[in-house]
Amino acid sequence: QVQLVESGGGLVQPGGSLRLSCTASGFTFSSYGMRWYRQPPGKERELVAHVSPLGISTTYADSVKGRFTISRDNAKNTVSLQMNSLKPEDTAVYYCKAVSPLPRFASWGQGTQVTVSS
């Protein structure tokens, strides 16, 4: 079955950095685009970043452009999100997800909590 496990979250001060990781299993990882989403407290889940199957192209939400970098290592079945210059508005639970309409890809994992606070 499809499994996505996020890690790397924590508490960081404004201006600091964190690197999130997502480890995938149960599917051919290199065949799928991967995305990071986040859900701030009391708000809707939003798309943060996307990376194409081979890691050639990336896209970002305007709110994180220039600060966050998505990347993937298909040999390790991982996708990462390097977050720099963090702001309190980045506080959220962060989730990774494969791009697919198939039901087995539809569920969300536990996510990892990122808290940006002084």
Side-chain angles (χ1 to χ4, degrees):
Q1 69 281 329
V2 172
Q3 190 168 118
L4 299 168
V5 180
E6 301 93 344
S7 63
L11 175 64
V12 65
Q13 293 184 334
S17 297
L18 280 175
R19 186 175 180 88
L20 308 183
S21 294
C22 171
T23 300
S25 61
F27 63 101
T28 304
F29 183 70
S30 61
S31 294
Y32 296 87
M34 294 294 298
R35 290 176 170 179
W36 283 98
Y37 292 81
R38 68 185 182 188
Q39 186 165 30
K43 297 184 178 180
E44 297 179 352
R45 183 181 283 114
E46 63 178 340
L47 177 63
V48 175
H50 168 93
V51 60
S52 61
L54 298 182
I56 302 302
S57 64
T58 58
T59 57
Y60 300 91
D62 287 343
S63 59
V64 309
K65 195 169 298 182
R67 300 187 298 119
F68 290 13
T69 303
I70 188 171
S71 61
R72 66 192 298 159
D73 186 340
N74 286 346
K76 297 180 179 179
N77 283 13
T78 60
V79 59
S80 299
L81 187 68
Q82 178 66 47
M83 305 185 296
N84 299 326
S85 302
L86 282 161
K87 304 175 180 179
E89 311 93 90
D90 297 319
T91 295
V93 178
Y94 284 71
Y95 304 88
C96 64
K97 198 166 182 64
V99 181
S100 174
L102 298 174
R104 67 194 191 101
F105 291 91
S107 63
W108 298 89
Q110 296 257 233
T112 187
Q113 175 72 51
V114 172
T115 302
V116 184
S117 176
S118 60

